[in-house]
Amino acid sequence: MARLWLDARAPVSNAQQQLEAAREQALENEITGSTDACTRLIDLQRENKILSNLVKQYEATIEVIMGKFRLQTDLVHKQKIAIQRECDFELAKEKQLNDELRKENIALADKLQESVDVVRFVLANSEDEAEGGGMHAHSLLHKELHKE
């Protein structure tokens, strides 16, 4: 980009030097008194031509810069879209994993609750056993566990 700028400045610098020379010539003509209308018109036409060339060179330089800017903008936009897609994919995977873990946690909580219910049942029956004799707590637990 810096080289391009230097390359673009060389013709512009040359045109600026020509413009300065034309202005100096016009100023010299005014000072020496040869400022007839025809000479002044020729000087103005020369200045106008140089200025037109300068404007064209500036426009060409701006167009090159804007072309590079557009390319960079397009590249950044494509990279942003790629990153967004990757993030969306990773987010979907993470959501799926979270859903699977949630289901597994619910299943484990249900199993744990069933185990607690069996232990409570066995404890309640073992108290009854202690009062009136009957089945042992161990056989009740075994019976409840194998009931499923």
Side-chain angles (χ1 to χ4, degrees):
M1 179 86 159
R3 193 182 85 200
L4 171 69
W5 179 249
L6 291 176
D7 292 346
R9 281 184 21 192
V12 171
S13 178
N14 187 25
Q16 285 175 333
Q17 289 172 354
Q18 290 175 358
L19 180 62
E20 284 301 317
R23 285 183 180 164
E24 287 175 13
Q25 181 65 38
L27 185 61
E28 187 178 308
N29 287 342
E30 280 184 38
I31 292 173
T32 59
S34 61
T35 57
D36 63 338
C38 188
T39 307
R40 183 71 180 138
L41 180 62
I42 292 171
D43 289 341
L44 287 175
Q45 286 175 339
R46 187 178 321 127
E47 263 187 60
N48 192 22
K49 184 176 179 182
I50 293 169
L51 286 171
S52 293
N53 286 336
L54 270 173
V55 167
K56 287 177 185 175
Q57 289 172 356
Y58 279 126
E59 286 175 347
T61 302
I62 293 291
E63 189 56 42
V64 168
I65 291 169
M66 288 306 296
K68 288 188 174 231
F69 174 76
R70 286 184 204 105
L71 286 174
Q72 287 291 333
T73 303
D74 188 47
L75 179 64
V76 167
H77 181 69
K78 287 178 181 177
Q79 288 174 343
K80 180 181 175 184
I81 289 173
I83 290 170
Q84 183 67 39
R85 286 182 183 155
E86 184 179 337
C87 287
D88 289 345
F89 177 74
E90 291 297 323
L91 180 63
K93 277 180 27 180
E94 193 69 28
K95 283 183 179 179
Q96 182 181 2
L97 181 62
N98 283 342
D99 288 344
E100 290 172 6
L101 288 173
R102 187 177 302 114
K103 288 176 184 176
E104 187 178 333
N105 283 341
I106 290 170
L108 288 173
D110 289 345
K111 292 274 187 194
L112 182 62
Q113 186 60 46
E114 288 175 17
S115 298
V116 168
D117 290 344
V118 167
V119 169
R120 285 184 181 154
F121 175 75
V122 169
L123 285 175
N125 284 331
S126 69
E127 288 175 3
D128 291 344
E129 176 185 313
E131 291 175 4
M135 297 178 90
H136 290 77
H138 183 300
S139 62
L140 281 173
L141 183 58
H142 182 67
K143 184 177 174 183
E144 281 298 318
L145 288 177
H146 291 293
K147 187 166 64 172
E148 299 173 2

